[in-house]
Amino acid sequence: MTENNVILLGPPASGKGTQARKLADHLGVPCLGTGKLLRNEIDKGSPVGLEAKGYIERGSYVPDEIILKMVSEWLSGHSDGWLMDGFPRTIPQAEALQQTAKPTRVIALDVPQDELEFRITKRRECTSCGATVAVNCSQDHTCPECGKETLISRADDALESFKARYQNYEELTVPLFDYYDSLGMLSKVDGTKSPKEVFAEILKIVEG
Ligand code: ADP
């Protein structure tokens, strides 16, 4: 049986990270989140982290060379059967992936811009368990997943940075829809539904 090599595409705050965690658990495959990996490198103060920090805080994409080096290192430790959240994000990244490890299915989460802006102001990340959650009040630091007082706002979740990221997404990532559609791999999912409903849609696609 061919292993599932799945890519999740979607704008910032579309729910990719949440769905990726659930799907990787369900399928029992490793998940590569390039945004998370970059934030870890920044926290470690590594050379890659130092280089990536400015781009991320400005809301720019990190240059393809840096991303491709990181991804090829990750792929060298993982055979078929994986999930990618946040990669590829540009046509050159997709073309490079096609040369090394071919995806079998690409799922694009569809969420309109005004809903994304609403979500981004409520989004928090837990530094203890890694969950991404929504808060009702900006003073709320308790993680609903693990109960610890360790919820933080991501440095790149300011509205201005979001707008820059969204523009990059439209210019550089949306062309991947046509790219993967022409390879017969693309499926779109309505990402405005509840996380549970979105997950059920994704499973239908992946498990056919
Ligand atoms: P989001 O989907 O909300 O933008 P991510 O955690 O996936 O969040 O990514 C955070 C940031 O990391 C991006 O805005 C971008 O600067 C950088 N990044 C992550 N993956 C890539 C990639 N494949 N190519 C270029 N930049 C990337």
Side-chain angles (χ1 to χ4, degrees), residues 79-149:
S79 48
D80 270 355
W82 44 249
L83 187 60
M84 290 192 177
D85 156 25
F87 177 88
R89 258 179 160 96
T90 64
I91 292 282
Q93 290 179 14
E95 286 172 346
L97 184 64
Q98 227 30 49
Q99 302 303 316
T100 43
K102 288 191 172 52
T104 53
R105 186 61 33 215
V106 178
I107 297 170
L109 295 179
D110 211 5
V111 181
Q113 187 177 359
D114 54 351
E115 166 72 15
L116 296 169
E117 286 184 12
F118 176 73
R119 287 183 185 183
I120 212 99
T121 56
K122 293 177 171 283
R123 177 156 86 167
R124 299 290 183 276
E125 201 164 80
C126 179
T127 54
S128 301
C129 72
T132 301
V133 300
V135 293
N136 287 320
C137 148
S138 62
Q139 300 309 315
D140 199 352
H141 298 293
T142 312
C143 174
E145 301 270 323
C146 72
K148 298 208 175 116
E149 294 266 317

Side-chain angles (χ1 to χ4, degrees), residues 7-14 16 32-36 38-39 56 59-62 64 67-68 71 84-95 97 123 154 156 165-166 168-177 180:
I7 290 173
L8 282 183
L9 287 180
S14 58
K16 279 188 314 282
L32 171 67
T34 42
K36 276 229 156 83
L38 288 165
R39 285 191 289 283
I56 294 184
S60 303
Y61 280 180
V62 173
D64 288 339
I67 300 288
L68 288 173
V71 173
M84 290 192 177
D85 156 25
F87 177 88
R89 258 179 160 96
T90 64
I91 292 282
Q93 290 179 14
E95 286 172 346
L97 184 64
R123 177 156 86 167
R154 272 171 40 181
D156 62 348
R165 280 147 73 204
Y166 189 77
N168 280 325
Y169 175 77
E170 290 216 300
E171 282 168 16
L172 300 169
T173 306
V174 168
L176 297 186
F177 289 26
Y180 285 120

